[in-house]
């Protein structure tokens, strides 16, 4: 039983100067995928927190929050104070909640993708990867 990748490998007629190796990825370890996706999610959480902080600082420096607060105050007759609602502690707390949710979602997503790949390998035979040394 030959796969399409095997047929394509046999059709390759050009001579290479180095040794060529073809490997087939037939299994992704579940816990390795979870650990790797967790580390990626941690990096994304750090980027999210820094971006929330920088965007807040730019909005505060350009006085956008104060102008939006004035517009909201005229619309609501001063009953809503936007600058007290959008302070740095509130923005960073919201950023922390978003980061934690992303951490959970991306970690679970990495595990699900590893499981789906392991199931798909039974049907497709895996991923054929070629390496060549120069």
């Amino acid at each position: 039983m030959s796969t399409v990748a095997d047929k394509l490998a046999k059709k390759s007629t050009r001579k290479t100067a180095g040794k060529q190796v073809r490997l087939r990825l037939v299994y992704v370890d579940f816990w390795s995928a979870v650990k790797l996706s967790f580390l990626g999610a941690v990096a994304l959480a750090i980027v999210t927190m820094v971006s929330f902080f920088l965007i807040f600082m730019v909005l505060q420096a350009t006085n956008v929050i104060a102008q939006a607060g004035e517009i909201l105050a005229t619309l609501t007759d001063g009953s809503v104070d936007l600058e007290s609602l959008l302070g740095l502690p509130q923005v960073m707390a919201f950023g922390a909640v978003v980061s934690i949710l992303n951490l959970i979602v991306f970690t679970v997503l990495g595990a699900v993708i590893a499981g789906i790949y392991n199931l798909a390998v039974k049907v497709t035979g895996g991923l054929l990867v070629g390496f060549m040394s120069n």
Side-chain angles (χ1 to χ4, degrees):
M1 180 173 167
S2 65
T3 63
V4 174
D6 292 333
K7 290 177 185 176
L8 289 175
K10 290 177 184 176
K11 284 185 179 180
S12 176
T13 59
R14 66 179 185 150
K15 301 294 180 187
T16 59
K19 183 175 179 169
Q20 197 172 27
V21 178
R22 296 187 190 276
L23 299 173
R24 187 179 306 271
L25 180 62
V26 295
Y27 178 73
V28 175
D29 185 48
F30 179 77
W31 288 113
S32 295
V34 169
K35 289 187 281 187
L36 186 63
S37 63
F38 177 76
L39 287 177
V42 167
L44 183 65
I46 292 170
V47 168
T48 302
M49 292 299 292
V50 170
S51 64
F52 267 68
F53 178 75
L54 290 177
I55 289 171
F56 176 78
M57 285 299 162
V58 167
L59 290 177
Q60 190 177 24
T62 57
N63 213 15
V64 171
I65 296 175
Q67 291 175 354
E70 290 173 7
I71 293 172
L72 190 62
T74 58
L75 291 175
T76 60
D77 294 330
S79 63
V80 176
D81 185 20
L82 186 64
E83 291 183 39
S84 66
L85 293 174
L86 288 181
L88 184 61
Q90 290 84 4
V91 169
M92 294 309 289
F94 180 71
V97 169
V98 168
S99 295
I100 290 170
L101 289 176
N102 276 341
L103 187 84
I104 294 168
V105 167
F106 276 95
T107 303
V108 170
L109 192 62
V112 168
I113 288 173
I116 290 173
Y117 181 80
N118 288 336
L119 290 175
V121 162
K122 294 178 181 178
V123 175
T124 63
L127 181 68
L128 184 64
V129 181
F131 295 99
M132 182 172 48
S133 65
N134 290 332

